[in-house]
Amino acid sequence: MSLDNRPIYTGGCQCGAVRFRVEGALGDASVCHCRMCQKASGNFYLPLVSVRGATLDWTRGEPKRFRSSNAAWRGFCAECGTPLTFEASDGMALAIAAFDDPAGIAPTIQWGVEAKLPYVDGIANLPSEETMGDVSSAPYLAELVSYQHPDHDTDQWPPEERP
Ligand SMILES: [Zn+2]
Ligand SMILES: [Zn+2]
């Protein structure tokens, strides 16, 4: 919370070259299945939350932008490729999973369902394993060193020493 009790959210890309801070209430949270959102995210659908009514600051770096149509731009980290924004004349939305704490930003509507991929609804019913569930088939996991930016702001990134 800020001094005047406005909520504060932080987040950024995977590599940490781009970081943002949002002060104020978030707007509608959604997923979009449209083909443009699939391509822009390299994924089955794109979860976004509107920051139209809040104050957004880029606290480190800024996204590179691709104009995906005459109506919108898509922002992403030029260093690591993480999708970060959807920007149109009526405001900006941020990729929900780019927030440091995305668990509290639950989508409330699906858009673009005419393009929904046929297996998406079945994913929740697939067999499920935790990351370390079969470490023998991926032994590198046991000694994994993450180079991903942590889920909080940092004074310096990357750290000076990296193994
Ligand atoms: Zn990055
Ligand atoms: Zn879309």
Side-chain angles (χ1 to χ4, degrees):
M1 290 282 179
S2 63
L3 287 176
D4 54 355
N5 275 340
R6 303 218 304 162
I8 290 174
Y9 304 87
T10 58
C13 66
Q14 184 173 29
C15 80
V18 180
R19 295 282 301 167
F20 62 79
R21 179 181 187 275
V22 178
E23 183 176 335
L26 299 175
D28 292 337
S30 61
V31 303
C32 185
H33 297 273
C34 87
R35 186 63 186 140
M36 281 207 180
C37 285
Q38 289 176 5
K39 290 292 275 191
S41 62
N43 220 313
F44 301 152
Y45 52 80
L46 178 55
L48 292 168
V49 63
S50 171
V51 294
R52 188 180 298 153
T55 302
L56 168 70
D57 289 309
W58 299 106
T59 53
R60 184 188 293 148
E62 194 161 321
K64 188 171 181 176
R65 292 174 173 87
F66 170 65
R67 192 178 192 193
S68 57
S69 74
N70 61 347
W73 296 78
R74 310 276 184 160
F76 57 93
C77 174
E79 301 297 323
C80 72
T82 301
L84 292 168
T85 72
F86 173 87
E87 305 173 34
S89 58
D90 62 346
M92 186 184 299
L94 293 177
I96 293 175
F99 281 73
D100 289 332
D101 185 14
I105 309 171
T108 57
I109 188 167
Q110 307 179 73
W111 298 105
V113 292
E114 73 286 346
K116 185 194 284 186
L117 291 168
Y119 42 78
V120 164
D121 287 338
I123 289 173
N125 300 321
L126 297 177
S128 302
E129 287 281 4
E130 295 192 357
T131 303
M132 301 304 276
D134 185 11
V135 75
S136 62
S137 70
Y140 63 87
L141 287 174
E143 295 173 12
L144 188 81
V145 178
S146 171
Y147 297 152
Q148 176 166 290
H149 188 276
D151 280 328
H152 56 76
D153 286 330
T154 50
D155 291 333
Q156 178 182 330
W157 191 261
E160 272 179 27
E161 289 189 21
R162 175 171 272 179

